[in-house]
Amino acid sequence: MTVYFCLALVVTFSVLLYFVGTAVYNLFLHPLAKIPGPWLPALTPWYEVYFDCIVKGGGQYPFHIKKLHEKYGPIIRPTPNEVHISDPSYLDTIYAIRNRNAAVAKGLNVDSSLAGAEDFHLHRVRREAMNPYFSPQAILKLQHLFTEKKDECAAVLNAASCSGIALNISDLFFAYSNDIVRSFSFGSDSALLKDLQEAKRQRKNLARLLTGIHLQRHFTAFFRFMGQVVPLVLGAPILPPAVVDLIRFKEQTGKDIETILADKENTGKIGHSVFYELRDSAILPPEEKTATRLQDEATLLVMAGTESTAKSLGIATFYILHQPEILSKLREELRVARLQAGPELPLARLLALPYLSAAMQEANRLSFGVTNRLNRYSPKEALAYTAPSGPAKGTEYVLPPKTHMATLILCTHTDESLFPNPWRFDPERWIASDTNSTEEVNWRKRCMTALGKGHRRCIGVNVANAAMSLVLAELTKFDLKLFETDESDVKFQFDFQVSHARMDSKGIQVLVEGLHQQ
Ligand code: HEM
């Protein structure tokens, strides 16, 4: 008895000592101890967990961080080992060539993907192998693929025309983006555009899955353990439909990859399938071409390519219909271009239209890209930051090597000094004019981080631009009316890795009233 009591005492004392020691270290001895901010996030990572998983059902930390900056100035400490800097002039330093923490990839269970490469050397190898298939030239060569899918969208709109039944355009965009990215990746798609009910199911399941991303990220080991153990104990997994869907999706992706790896005779898919190319890549070493790694890469590609593109398209469509003056300007720009180049504008021509590009840019800005912190760190180099404003104005802070640092896209894209009236959808802010100097516009473009920045900038940017410009131009040919949809169906209210609008949103719905008569 006495032995057990003594043991319990020693354990209790050790645990207490550990907690007190960690607290004292984090608050007073840590190299970041002098960074401004409240003491609780400096003390414990549970502060972040609280805002990520509990407040309003989760996904609130970015909004809270923004508030902390209003009080404490441009640099704060959102977790014990991390700084957050809300200062556009420091973006280039953060996004320089550095390591990036791989928490994002862990949350999505794609550890060995491009986004999962923590070390910048490893990232460079993976990225160099993929870059050529995402270049503007490569995408222009695939114009037929995009046009085919855009025509399928037009067929859906025509079919819905004058039916009086609302079309859920969020489902349509999800199907469109998914079909494109799958064709582009594997040389064959899942024909979601032909089955919008299935697209709806997958879209909702993905959204549900993403609502659990913070739990996955904070308790990765637990969820992975449960994923392994529960099926062994019960013979079958008891998992929510969204997770079952992810497992199915990963299995399907795995099969697609295995088919490609086994298809030794066929190299003829070149130019049409990223994964045929990666399989035969001279850049990637053999350990980077295993089925498991390529499966992670494919999962990331399809998820990132589908969700983000569909979201930006939804935002663009909502505001274009909500603010008729924007629709009129778009139609006028397209009318003039069609007079010059014919009714079917080639992709290169569409991409060069200033107002359409500005509307797309603005939709990306309000999509906020990846809404969580995308931390960078230098393994060996210390950095310095001098606060240009706030209570600690003029103070220089030294950030030792390995300090994780980030700027939330929310903070940059709602910075009033960069984007006046930031929640307003205003394509004009991207176009130089009498009231908008070229310098201002260029500075905005440099600070636009919806697609990331620097060497880890979104690899799919040209895919997204092609997909968006073609379908938006097509939409203007129809008279569409928003149906039971308002701004709360598109506005960023929850951070689940990507922005989420209100929880009970059905998506964007429209009535198709027919073809627009010029
Ligand atoms: C409008 C649509 C899109 C948005 C807003 C978007 C946004 C982003 C952002 C913010 C990043 C993170 C960059 C970072 O780590 O700092 C990213 C990375 C990535 N995106 Fe996109 N994306 C879009 C479309 C696409 C498409 C269509 C694809 C694929 C075809 C794609 C594939 C990827 C991949 C693979 C990465 C990881 C890149 C790397 O770590 O080097 N994205 N994207």
Side-chain angles (χ1 to χ4, degrees):
M1 186 69 182
T2 336
V3 176
Y4 286 127
F5 179 72
C6 287
L7 203 65
L9 215 63
V10 169
V11 171
T12 314
F13 182 72
S14 310
V15 171
L16 267 174
L17 196 68
Y18 170 78
F19 280 117
V20 173
T22 309
V24 170
Y25 175 76
N26 280 349
L27 290 178
F28 305 108
L29 307 172
H30 196 289
L32 303 178
K34 296 223 157 36
I35 302 291
W39 61 273
L40 213 47
L43 175 75
T44 167
W46 289 100
Y47 187 83
E48 179 192 15
V49 176
Y50 174 65
F51 285 97
D52 273 350
C53 306
I54 295 171
V55 178
K56 290 190 185 171
Q60 295 304 305
Y61 206 30
F63 303 101
H64 186 65
I65 287 179
K66 190 169 160 60
K67 278 195 194 135
L68 292 180
H69 279 297
E70 282 158 19
K71 182 164 179 197
Y72 294 98
I75 181 165
I76 58 158
R77 199 176 160 197
T79 64
N81 300 316
E82 188 189 347
V83 294
H84 186 272
I85 300 174
S86 178
D87 177 353
S89 68
Y90 206 66
L91 285 175
D92 285 339
T93 311
I94 292 180
Y95 284 100
I97 296 176
R98 305 193 188 287
N99 288 3
R100 197 192 79 184
N101 76 324
V104 173
K106 285 211 173 71
L108 292 172
N109 205 353
V110 288
D111 302 27
S112 62
S113 66
L114 193 57
E118 182 141 352
D119 176 79
F120 72 84
H121 296 102
L122 176 61
H123 176 265
R124 184 158 57 200
V125 174
R126 289 183 183 162
R127 181 92 188 203
E128 273 176 10
M130 287 170 79
N131 270 341
Y133 317 111
F134 291 85
S135 70
Q137 299 79 355
I139 302 305
L140 282 179
K141 278 193 201 146
L142 290 177
Q143 177 165 341
H144 61 281
L145 185 158
F146 292 87
T147 310
E148 204 179 284
K149 291 295 161 189
K150 179 267 293 176
D151 289 343
E152 281 189 49
C153 287
V156 172
L157 288 163
N158 268 317
S161 184
C162 302
S163 67
I165 300 169
L167 173 71
N168 191 315
I169 211 147
S170 301
D171 297 339
L172 182 75
F173 291 153
F174 185 91
Y176 172 69
S177 312
N178 189 270
D179 277 3
I180 284 180
V181 75
R182 288 196 79 102
S183 303
F184 177 73
S185 303
F186 308 118
S188 61
D189 67 63
S190 39
L192 272 190
L193 273 171
K194 296 203 166 39
D195 187 352
L196 290 185
Q197 282 310 312
E198 176 58 16
K200 182 190 288 305
R201 203 185 63 76
Q202 290 193 18
R203 181 176 72 80
K204 290 196 157 178
N205 276 351
L206 179 60
R208 244 174 261 137
L209 184 81
L210 287 169
T211 58
I213 197 162
H214 291 304
L215 285 170
Q216 288 271 354
R217 193 166 61 83
H218 291 300
F219 306 102
T220 308
F222 172 76
F223 280 101
R224 290 195 183 172
F225 175 75
M226 293 304 280
Q228 305 280 328
V229 166
V230 172
L232 287 180
V233 176
L234 297 177
I238 9 168
L239 296 168
V243 180
V244 174
D245 236 43
L246 177 67
I247 292 171
R248 271 203 217 120
F249 168 65
K250 279 201 91 169
E251 279 171 3
Q252 179 56 47
T253 313
K255 279 186 202 147
D256 289 338
I257 293 293
E258 270 160 24
T259 310
I260 291 175
L261 291 182
D263 183 13
K264 295 284 181 224
E265 285 164 23
N266 199 348
T267 52
K269 302 249 175 181
I270 285 186
H272 199 75
S273 157
V274 174
F275 287 95
Y276 271 91
E277 309 283 352
L278 290 186
R279 180 197 69 181
D280 300 333
S281 163
I283 296 175
L284 288 180
E287 66 274 18
E288 285 289 306
K289 295 181 184 176
T290 61
T292 318
R293 202 199 79 72
L294 293 182
Q295 186 185 3
D296 274 5
E297 203 67 279
T299 307
L300 170 73
L301 212 59
V302 176
M303 273 196 185
T306 304
E307 168 66 22
S308 309
T309 314
K311 184 167 306 280
S312 285
L313 272 172
I315 292 171
T317 305
F318 172 78
Y319 285 108
I320 288 169
L321 298 181
H322 187 60
Q323 292 169 221
E325 68 282 6
I326 297 181
L327 179 58
S328 306
K329 284 185 189 164
L330 260 184
R331 280 188 172 141
E332 181 54 17
E333 184 179 64
L334 286 159
R335 188 188 67 79
V336 173
R338 285 187 186 116
L339 277 179
Q340 292 163 352
E344 271 306 315
L345 290 175
L347 181 54
R349 186 69 201 249
L350 276 177
L351 291 171
L353 294 178
Y355 197 75
L356 177 61
S357 301
M360 283 161 39
Q361 182 91 318
E362 189 65 346
N364 286 339
R365 183 181 73 85
L366 287 178
S367 81
F368 298 95
V370 175
T371 49
N372 200 356
R373 303 184 304 291
L374 291 166
N375 278 335
R376 307 300 208 251
Y377 67 92
S378 294
K380 295 195 180 125
E381 182 196 2
L383 295 169
Y385 176 72
T386 305
S389 58
K393 185 174 174 182
T395 312
E396 187 190 70
Y397 297 98
V398 176
L399 312 175
K402 297 199 180 123
T403 301
H404 284 219
M405 55 186 179
T407 300
L408 281 164
I409 299 175
L410 171 73
C411 290
T412 314
H413 288 193
T414 57
D415 183 326
E416 294 264 358
S417 69
L418 270 173
F419 301 103
N421 200 355
W423 291 98
R424 184 180 153 72
F425 185 89
D426 179 10
E428 310 282 348
R429 57 173 108 236
W430 300 103
I431 300 171
S433 65
D434 294 347
T435 50
N436 220 4
S437 74
T438 310
E439 291 73 37
E440 265 178 294
V441 172
N442 287 344
W443 178 231
R444 252 172 229 148
K445 286 183 182 165
R446 266 183 76 179
C447 297
M448 163 77 171
T449 45
L451 293 134
K453 197 170 162 65
H455 66 127
R456 291 204 186 229
R457 185 167 189 248
C458 175
I459 199 167
V461 54
N462 298 312
V463 180
N465 284 343
M468 285 176 70
S469 58
L470 278 163
V471 88
L472 287 176
E474 192 65 28
L475 286 187
T476 63
K477 294 181 184 167
F478 292 84
D479 281 326
L480 304 174
K481 203 166 133 195
L482 288 167
F483 177 78
E484 292 181 0
T485 302
D486 63 34
E487 203 173 20
S488 68
D489 291 291
V490 291
K491 194 171 174 184
F492 174 25
Q493 291 170 56
F494 297 91
D495 148 48
F496 293 124
Q497 193 65 35
V498 290
S499 74
H500 267 236
R502 70 182 154 93
M503 289 283 197
D504 57 349
S505 171
K506 290 183 182 160
I508 301 154
Q509 302 179 77
V510 294
L511 290 171
V512 188
E513 296 182 327
L515 277 173
H516 179 69
Q517 306 299 327
Q518 288 278 3

